[in-house]
Amino acid sequence: SRVLTQPPSVSVAPGKAATITCGGNNVGSKSVHWYQQKPGQAPVLVIYYDKDRPSGIPERFSGSNSGNTATLTISRVEAGDEADYFCQVWDSSTDRPVFGGGTKLTVL
Amino acid sequence: QVQLVESGGGVVQPGMSLRLSCAASGFTFSSYGIHWVRQAAGKGLEWVALISFDGSKESYADSVKGRFTVSRDNSKNTVYLQINSLGVEDTAVYYCAKKPGVGYFDLWGRGTLVTVSP
């Protein structure tokens, strides 16, 4: 079983906000990173350190992390945001990354 | 152009070997650790292995330990993943990814597909 739990799918209408969660025991004490993966493409970092955006990522992408849940929010969703989204933390005890199972975002 | 490009995948029979390559360009390759992450069709991301910036440290997932070996040639800006004793469970797209010293990956390659089929 995975340490990080994500809903398998989230659906949202264009122009609305999408919320994707990443649950884990006291995940708020760790830094959570988020990747977007479109079909047939490599993952792309969209949020790092819970809420920071790499250059080139739209401001519509935001993140938060507290308690047992980290959240990726995509405001004003567009058709081009349809993709799989993965959360990730670093396990310092094993010095390895841990990925969530991924969430498929469908834009209705 | 800042990029990672994987190659070397293919269709092989169980028990055979492959060597995957990850060629880097556009950044100071010798300053960064490189990781391999794989993804079976329709599945999530699975971390496979890492090699430190200077090659002095390697680490492997339990599922591949003893069968996979990661190495690098900083003079060629390339990381290699030697995969031996392939099983059907190793069928996946293999990505290499750059880790900028802290806990996330800021650059991924497009992946190379390894298919293990009898």
Side-chain angles (χ1 to χ4, degrees):
Chain A
S1 61
R2 288 189 178 267
V3 173
L4 299 177
T5 302
Q6 298 182 237
S9 62
V10 168
S11 299
V12 63
K16 301 297 186 182
T19 299
I20 299 173
T21 58
C22 175
N25 186 29
N26 200 26
V27 72
S29 67
K30 299 180 181 292
S31 292
V32 176
H33 320 291
W34 291 91
Y35 303 91
Q36 175 194 68
Q37 185 180 34
K38 296 183 179 179
Q41 298 185 22
V44 173
L45 180 71
V46 293
I47 292 288
Y48 63 103
Y49 287 147
D50 298 336
K51 59 180 176 56
D52 292 338
R53 279 178 293 104
S55 62
I57 300 302
E59 293 183 6
R60 301 184 296 104
F61 288 79
S62 62
S64 64
N65 185 18
S66 179
N68 295 321
T69 304
T71 302
L72 172 69
T73 301
I74 309 170
S75 60
R76 303 181 300 282
V77 165
E78 303 172 355
D81 298 329
E82 191 162 277
D84 293 327
Y85 291 85
F86 295 90
C87 61
Q88 178 246 314
V89 300
W90 197 265
D91 185 337
S92 56
S93 65
T94 59
D95 198 21
R96 300 173 181 183
V98 176
F99 294 98
T103 298
K104 181 177 180 57
L105 176 67
T106 299
V107 181
L108 300 171
Chain B
Q1 185 178 3
V2 177
Q3 63 178 0
L4 296 169
V5 179
E6 302 92 338
S7 62
V11 181
V12 296
Q13 294 182 330
M16 295 185 68
S17 299
L18 277 177
R19 189 176 81 156
L20 309 183
S21 298
C22 169
S25 60
F27 63 95
T28 306
F29 177 73
S30 59
S31 296
Y32 296 97
I34 298 293
H35 293 242
W36 288 92
V37 177
R38 68 184 180 183
Q39 185 176 36
K43 302 296 184 181
L45 300 170
E46 179 189 14
W47 178 80
V48 172
L50 77 87
I51 186 163
S52 61
F53 69 99
D54 60 356
S56 62
K57 175 183 176 182
E58 303 165 27
S59 183
Y60 302 92
D62 291 343
S63 57
V64 308
K65 198 174 296 182
R67 299 188 299 120
F68 289 20
T69 303
V70 61
S71 61
R72 68 189 295 159
D73 184 341
N74 283 347
S75 69
K76 296 182 178 179
N77 285 0
T78 301
V79 167
Y80 305 98
L81 185 67
Q82 178 69 39
I83 308 175
N84 297 329
S85 303
L86 278 158
V88 293
E89 69 277 8
D90 296 315
T91 295
V93 175
Y94 285 72
Y95 299 100
C96 58
K98 167 178 164 282
K99 179 172 172 285
V102 287
Y104 59 88
F105 303 106
D106 65 347
L107 179 68
W108 298 65
R110 297 178 66 90
T112 187
L113 176 61
V114 172
T115 302
V116 184
S117 178

